[in-house]
Amino acid sequence: MEFIYCFCLVSLVLIVGGLYKLLYYNYAKKNYSVVIGKIGDFEELNTSDFHTAKYPLIHYQVNGHTYKKRGSGSIVMGKPVKVYYNPSDPYKCVLEGDNGLILIFFGLIFLVIPAIIFFNK
């Protein structure tokens, strides 16, 4: 029974996080300026003792200054990416498509699994 609570807690965290990202993404699309960025290089991060993951670094320019934002694995090499940035603080930005829907999707899956188990008892 405790694992059902764990699934529900994980589900709640994912859904709330996804909703926050979705709201922020929609806010940025309406209120931020937009430039086109491109993959400049990759950043390697340790995910565990023996594994690393490479994330693309999106380079974008605002008023002659170059900024970087770590992207997700869904960004295609060589394809331009829209970057919505805050004009008063260009470090604050959102990448096109980084809207949190995947978090909401997995949150719903983590909610359905314990529901199926609970109602099949």
Side-chain angles (χ1 to χ4, degrees):
M1 192 67 168
E2 289 82 23
F3 76 95
I4 290 178
Y5 295 127
C6 291
F7 268 87
C8 290
L9 181 62
V10 168
S11 172
L12 182 66
V13 169
L14 289 172
I15 290 171
V16 168
L19 288 173
Y20 174 78
K21 282 187 81 164
L22 182 62
L23 291 172
Y24 183 65
Y25 177 77
N26 288 330
Y27 173 82
K29 280 186 78 168
K30 291 177 185 173
N31 298 300
Y32 285 4
S33 299
V34 63
V35 294
I36 301 298
K38 61 181 179 176
I39 297 176
D41 50 357
F42 290 87
E43 180 179 35
E44 248 183 55
L45 297 175
N46 292 329
T47 56
S48 67
D49 292 337
F50 302 107
H51 296 85
T52 59
K54 284 187 177 183
Y55 293 92
L57 285 177
I58 308 304
H59 294 233
Y60 61 101
Q61 287 194 348
V62 177
N63 298 327
H65 297 284
T66 300
Y67 299 91
K68 296 178 185 179
K69 167 80 173 170
R70 184 185 322 143
S72 66
S74 64
I75 295 175
V76 178
M77 186 72 165
K79 185 177 178 188
V81 179
K82 282 186 182 177
V83 180
Y84 300 96
Y85 70 93
N86 184 338
S88 60
D89 185 4
Y91 284 106
K92 292 182 180 177
C93 70
V94 177
L95 301 176
E96 179 75 32
D98 191 15
N99 55 17
L101 290 178
I102 193 78
L103 291 176
I104 296 170
F105 173 76
F106 280 109
L108 292 173
I109 294 223
F110 272 83
L111 192 61
V112 168
I113 291 171
I116 291 171
I117 293 170
F118 180 76
F119 289 114
N120 282 333
K121 284 187 171 187

